[in-house]
Amino acid sequence: MERTGQDKGMLRRGEMHPGTVFLLAAVYGAASFSVVLLLGIAGYVFFRGFRELSLRFFLSVTSALKGTVGIAGNMVNTLYMIILTLAMAVPAGVGAAVYLNEYAGKSRPVRAVSFAVDILAGIPSIVFGLFGMVLFGNVMGLGYSLLTGALTLGLMVLPLIVENTQAALQAVPRGYRQGALGMGAGKWELIRTILLPGAKSGILSGIILAVGRIVGESAALLFTAGSARILPGLGSGFPKDITVLRDKILEPGGTLTVELYLQMQNGEYGAAFGIGCVLILLTFLMNLLLKLISRTGGGQEEDFYG
């Protein structure tokens, strides 16, 4: 008690222990370094690539015959990859997390499954690419296609969605569970009306993090989706356009990160840095969306639970 009184007296006089000063300096130094590093990377990429950004760059396709450089096809392919991957990974990931967290208990097989999910999250992406090329491309006969790439990325982001959903479900206060069960709610009703709405912001955060990994992946897609830049041939009428958009799933296509790699490989550094600017902007927008969802989701949960 005497030591505590001395510490409070030191704090009132504005004095601090040398160890505390060192730790605060280290923390603020690390934070400042992170900010400087981010600004340095973003600033250099924008300095080299901002001049490449134009309407033509966004609306045209890179073609050696036409002498054009653009990312329209790659943006469409990236959008396809995001939609297809999430359509497969989100239901499976959320369902698996609900089962592991609410139904499976703490048995040894469940612990083994959780351990396998953790290991799966650490496997290098290029290994996923090799596996996806063999299983989906060769064995299933899908070849180089957006669907092959999406199936491979679905396996990659599945652990991320499972872990974030589990963490979000575990963060729901135990009192909500007990109150719902005390009022006679069944297990599924508890999950549907209490747990999932309460964990909504955490689940959405995991989905946005998964989108970030999908957008930033290149190694696995080089083995599975290819690098085509072709835009779907629309303009033949509504039924035909729907068929064209559907059939594109089975065609090869390179995303923005794959195109960046190819442009660097070909020595087109300006175009590569231009794509880098687009990717940094997408990352910024996704993080901003994540912040907004976290704030909005928290407010909605407070309203929901009174």
Side-chain angles (χ1 to χ4, degrees):
M1 295 297 293
E2 182 181 354
R3 179 67 179 173
T4 303
Q6 292 177 356
D7 292 340
K8 290 182 178 179
M10 292 174 63
L11 291 175
R12 283 196 297 266
R13 294 193 301 269
E15 300 175 2
M16 296 177 63
H17 192 276
T20 304
V21 174
F22 174 77
L23 288 176
L24 286 175
V27 170
Y28 281 110
S32 301
F33 177 75
S34 301
V35 174
V36 171
L37 184 63
L38 172 62
L39 294 177
I41 294 174
Y44 181 75
V45 172
F46 272 88
F47 175 75
R48 293 288 303 272
F50 187 76
R51 68 194 70 177
E52 298 290 330
L53 302 182
S54 63
L55 190 61
R56 184 181 182 184
F57 184 73
F58 285 101
L59 297 181
S60 62
V61 176
T62 299
S63 173
L65 296 176
K66 298 179 180 180
T68 58
V69 177
I71 59 172
N74 305 109
M75 293 179 67
V76 172
N77 294 334
T78 302
L79 183 61
Y80 263 95
M81 199 64 65
I82 293 172
I83 294 174
L84 291 174
T85 303
L86 293 183
M88 293 178 283
V90 171
V94 174
V98 169
Y99 173 76
L100 291 174
N101 203 67
E102 304 300 326
Y103 289 99
K106 301 296 182 182
S107 62
R108 182 173 297 179
V110 173
R111 292 198 299 270
V113 171
S114 299
F115 179 73
V117 170
D118 294 335
I119 295 298
L120 195 63
I123 295 178
S125 60
I126 196 167
V127 177
F128 277 103
L130 289 171
F131 176 79
M133 179 184 68
V134 173
L135 177 61
F136 304 124
N138 297 337
V139 177
M140 296 180 61
L142 297 176
Y144 283 97
S145 65
L146 292 171
L147 182 58
T148 303
L151 288 168
T152 304
L153 291 186
L155 296 178
M156 290 179 58
V157 303
L158 187 62
L160 183 63
I161 296 176
V162 171
E163 291 176 351
N164 276 273
T165 302
Q166 279 190 286
L169 290 173
Q170 293 167 3
V172 177
R174 185 175 297 274
Y176 297 151
R177 303 168 183 265
Q178 296 173 344
L181 293 175
M183 295 176 64
K187 189 70 172 180
W188 171 241
E189 189 176 5
L190 167 67
I191 294 171
R192 181 174 56 85
T193 61
I194 301 296
L195 297 184
L196 288 179
K200 180 173 59 177
S201 62
I203 296 172
L204 291 175
S205 299
I207 292 174
I208 293 177
L209 292 175
V211 172
R213 185 166 187 185
I214 295 168
V215 172
E217 184 54 48
S218 60
L221 295 179
L222 284 170
F223 291 117
T224 56
S227 58
R229 307 150 173 160
I230 303 172
L231 283 167
L234 303 178
S236 302
F238 180 74
K240 185 72 177 294
D241 289 346
I242 295 297
T243 303
V244 169
L245 292 174
R246 182 199 63 195
D247 293 343
K248 185 172 176 57
I249 296 174
L250 299 176
E251 298 176 359
T255 60
L256 288 169
T257 48
V258 171
E259 182 65 16
L260 188 152
Y261 167 78
L262 294 176
Q263 294 291 349
M264 287 292 293
Q265 191 178 47
N266 295 332
E268 299 291 339
Y269 300 116
F273 277 104
I275 298 173
C277 293
V278 176
L279 290 174
I280 289 178
L281 290 174
L282 286 176
T283 303
F284 173 77
L285 291 175
M286 283 187 290
N287 280 274
L288 181 62
L289 181 60
L290 182 60
K291 294 289 185 182
L292 293 175
I293 287 176
S294 299
R295 294 178 181 177
T296 305
Q300 288 177 346
E301 289 166 20
E302 291 177 2
D303 294 340
F304 181 81
Y305 297 114

